[in-house]
Amino acid sequence: LLVPFDPEHPYCPPSAAFFGMMGAAAAIIFANFGSAYGTAKAGVGVAHLGIMNISLLMRGLVPCIMAGVLGIYGLIVAIIIGSGINAREGYSSYKGYAHLSAGLSCGLSALAAGMSIGIAGDAGVRAYAKQEGIFVALLLIMIFGEALALYGLIVALVVGNLSNE
């Protein structure tokens, strides 16, 4: 299937929208993978905490909550990318590649953050069950893990908005 040349939009091939949509999909899919993994992995530690000391359970949910936030980052970027794709008015390859890179930077950063939060959260919550004084250190570790996703979100917003100029 050959698509005819469009003289009004010479730099807007039909494949450009595909790359933009792949960026939106990558943002939400990888961010949700990270969110799900982090929640599940830290949830195992929370279950162990509930067995060891039920009175600490609510504070022990912090890693699960922080991992759940990662999916929201992907949702935000996917909506921004998806709303910026309009193939009828001209959507250049540059925009498509920029949106793909924005989605990948957000999604893969959230995936890495979810793995970090899940693994450290599981071990940290189990340690918190035995020694309550470790809670502040657990929070700091979780914040640094979450920062990985924030970096990806910031890069995604900057790169996604560069393509609109």
Side-chain angles (χ1 to χ4, degrees):
L1 297 168
L2 293 176
V3 178
F5 177 73
D6 184 5
E8 287 186 37
H9 306 291
Y11 300 108
C12 303
S15 63
F18 167 77
F19 289 108
M21 290 294 185
M22 286 302 293
I28 192 73
I29 290 168
F30 289 127
N32 283 339
F33 278 164
S35 179
Y37 180 82
T39 302
K41 183 76 170 154
V44 172
V46 171
H48 182 77
L49 172 67
I51 294 169
M52 298 292 288
N53 191 347
I54 192 73
S55 65
L56 302 176
L57 191 64
M58 292 308 289
R59 288 179 79 184
L61 287 173
V62 170
C64 293
I65 293 167
M66 291 182 78
V69 171
L70 299 174
I72 296 171
Y73 297 162
L75 177 66
I76 291 168
V77 171
I79 289 172
I80 290 171
I81 291 172
S83 64
I85 298 172
N86 189 349
R88 293 181 198 268
E89 295 177 7
Y91 186 74
S92 68
S93 292
Y94 173 77
K95 284 185 178 182
Y97 298 143
H99 285 158
L100 176 62
S101 65
L104 286 172
S105 70
C106 176
L108 292 176
S109 295
L111 178 61
M115 293 177 74
S116 168
I117 290 170
I119 293 168
D122 180 28
V125 168
R126 288 174 191 258
Y128 176 58
K130 296 176 183 173
Q131 176 58 258
E132 293 181 39
I134 202 167
F135 186 72
V136 174
L138 171 64
L139 282 180
L140 287 173
I141 293 167
M142 296 296 104
I143 289 168
F144 286 123
E146 186 85 19
L148 299 173
L150 280 173
Y151 301 151
L153 175 66
I154 292 167
V155 168
L157 294 175
V158 169
V159 170
N161 285 331
L162 282 177
S163 67
N164 292 332
E165 295 177 0

